[in-house]
Amino acid sequence: ALAREGGEDTFRRLFRFYRQRDLSDLRGVVDFSAPGAQVVRSQLSVSSVSDQDAYRAGLQPVSQWKAYGLNGYPGFIFIPNPFLPGCQRHWVKQCLKLYTQKPNVCNLDLHMAPEKTIDLWGQSKEQLKRKGSNKREPRSLLEKLRWVTLGYHYNWDTKKYSANHHTPFPSDLAFLSEQVAAACGFWGFQAQAGILNYYHFDSSLGIHVDESELDHSRPLLSFSFGQSSIFLLGGLKREEAPTAMFMHSGDIMVMSGVSRLLYHAVPRVLPNPEGTALPSCLGQALPSDLPVGSVIEHSSDEDWQVCAKYLQTSRINMTIRQVLAEGQKFPEESGTNGKGQAPYEDSCHEENSRAKRHKPNIV
């Protein structure tokens, strides 16, 4: 019924519906843990990734993954949590402790002196460990973090990448991304840019299309950790009604082909449906014996304590992209500052507390 009403575009109407604080009707949300009629099985390229390489990336053998698609969305692949026990913890720690370090770029760089954002983890960990349920407690710098960019740094002003604003892409994340892409049939995928989004229960991601990459033939990879969310996947126009689906901790989405350039959004972050502070998959520790050449590292108990406290009210999403095709170069540009920074702290996010002060530029 919402999709058929007149007025504002259909996508916006459904975004607002799922954004409601008192939302209780989730019957229309696709749950890949109990696939319905719209869900179809997707074939994976099992032989493209050896079990050893999957283990090195912290993943189960591809033969054990489940992969799904949606009728009407060619090129969309959903993989419910294929991570080995304990391995999600590595990526959470990297997103909070390592990838936040310089030379990577984050939203806090926009209004803080460079020396203040060098070590967000070190400045936040004690405050996070002591964090109680009192909402009036001041937020740590990690809790104020909204996005981090990796590799080719996305310029939120121009909505472009450039050759003159690039830093080394993390090798462990590149390896993970290459294995997932190969399993989905995309051999030779190169992880060249990453946007990490940090959500809280009052956060959302506005309606947009990821079209800034120069090579649209390569997929967009999305990894989620922590609390759950509702993801909306629409069409080539905002007048087309989107499909709502749950994303839980460890889930991976791949947008390729026609689905690579579809409108999408995250209207809502939801508490873990299991009813516990953290999903059970995050309660499992890493085994002591990791395979030779593993990119996964053990976390100290202290580090995980900080990560777990953060995730009790938060969700982390990593989206990985290949910007350039093999041999492709950026066009010559003039007048760009190369900073790749967003004009507002919440360019990717809409939050109730800031709705009147900031209008996100991608919605």
Side-chain angles (χ1 to χ4, degrees):
L2 280 169
R4 291 192 297 270
E5 290 179 8
E8 62 182 350
D9 66 74
T10 302
F11 202 129
R12 166 61 63 183
R13 217 161 26 245
L14 285 164
F15 182 95
R16 290 186 185 278
F17 172 76
Y18 285 112
R19 185 88 180 100
Q20 297 174 76
R21 275 193 174 277
D22 57 350
L23 178 65
S24 58
D25 185 1
L26 299 174
R27 290 173 297 175
V29 184
V30 174
D31 187 347
F32 287 96
S33 63
Q38 190 178 357
V39 176
V40 294
R41 289 299 295 262
S42 287
Q43 294 298 313
L44 295 171
S45 182
V46 175
S47 61
S48 295
V49 180
S50 69
D51 290 356
Q52 183 67 14
D53 280 345
Y55 287 140
R56 288 177 58 208
L59 298 165
Q60 300 173 28
V62 178
S63 59
Q64 296 180 22
W65 299 8
K66 293 180 179 178
Y68 301 99
L70 289 171
N71 284 323
Y73 294 94
F76 176 76
I77 304 171
F78 192 102
I79 305 169
N81 182 16
F83 288 93
L84 289 166
C87 288
Q88 288 187 54
R89 291 187 176 192
H90 169 84
W91 302 109
V92 171
K93 184 194 70 173
Q94 298 297 78
C95 287
L96 293 175
K97 185 176 182 179
L98 184 67
Y99 301 157
T100 53
Q101 296 178 10
K102 297 303 167 227
N104 299 330
V105 181
C106 73
N107 62 291
L108 299 179
D109 297 327
L110 301 175
H111 50 80
M112 295 180 70
E115 62 271 16
K116 297 288 188 181
T117 61
I118 289 175
D119 185 15
L120 302 182
W121 174 270
Q123 296 181 71
S124 304
K125 62 180 183 180
E126 294 303 323
Q127 189 177 349
L128 269 172
K129 283 195 292 187
R130 295 193 304 268
K131 196 83 173 177
S133 57
N134 186 355
K135 293 184 178 180
R136 295 185 178 180
E137 292 181 38
R139 293 184 301 163
S140 65
L141 288 180
L142 277 179
E143 291 171 293
K144 294 178 181 179
L145 190 65
R146 290 295 175 266
W147 54 261
V148 168
T149 53
L150 312 171
Y152 287 114
H153 297 280
Y154 184 68
N155 187 310
W156 304 90
D157 269 328
T158 64
K159 297 180 173 60
K160 293 181 180 180
Y161 302 93
S162 63
N164 63 352
H165 197 214
H166 174 269
T167 56
F169 194 93
S171 58
D172 58 346
L173 184 52
F175 185 76
L176 169 70
S177 303
E178 289 159 10
Q179 307 318 304
V180 171
C184 294
F186 295 97
W187 261 104
F189 175 84
Q190 299 176 50
Q192 297 175 336
I195 298 179
L196 315 181
N197 281 319
Y198 300 81
Y199 298 85
H200 306 295
F201 283 134
D202 58 352
S203 301
S204 63
L205 176 68
I207 306 165
H208 69 286
V209 176
D210 291 298
E211 58 185 357
S212 299
E213 296 74 29
L214 275 66
D215 181 15
H216 293 157
S217 69
R218 312 305 278 170
L220 177 77
L221 310 180
S222 171
F223 302 85
S224 289
F225 305 105
Q227 301 298 323
S228 299
S229 70
I230 294 175
F231 179 79
L232 298 179
L233 182 62
L236 293 171
K237 299 179 180 179
R238 289 170 60 132
E239 289 73 24
E240 298 178 50
T243 295
M245 62 197 81
F246 290 114
M247 286 196 73
H248 303 304
S249 192
D251 290 349
I252 300 173
M253 286 194 315
V254 178
M255 296 173 68
S256 67
V258 174
S259 293
R260 177 66 177 76
L261 294 174
L262 298 182
Y263 280 100
H264 55 278
V266 177
R268 191 67 181 271
V269 176
L270 300 168
N272 165 37
E274 297 170 326
T276 51
L278 289 180
S280 57
C281 59
L282 289 171
Q284 301 165 302
L286 273 174
S288 56
D289 55 332
L290 294 171
V292 175
S294 175
V295 302
I296 303 297
E297 301 172 345
H298 284 98
S299 301
S300 68
D301 290 341
E302 180 187 15
D303 281 358
W304 179 244
Q305 183 183 355
V306 176
C307 293
K309 196 74 172 182
Y310 176 89
L311 288 183
Q312 286 181 10
T313 57
S314 305
R315 167 183 180 255
I316 298 172
N317 178 256
M318 312 187 299
T319 57
I320 314 303
R321 307 113 189 279
Q322 178 169 336
V323 177
L324 300 167
E326 189 74 34
Q328 189 176 21
K329 294 182 179 180
F330 288 100
E332 291 293 329
E333 293 183 15
S334 60
T336 58
N337 59 21
K339 291 183 179 179
Q341 296 180 343
Y344 305 116
E345 176 176 344
D346 289 315
S347 291
C348 291
H349 295 263
E350 293 182 287
E351 297 192 54
N352 292 337
S353 61
R354 301 185 181 173
K356 294 182 180 179
R357 285 186 286 160
H358 291 330
K359 293 184 178 180
N361 65 349
I362 63 171
V363 178

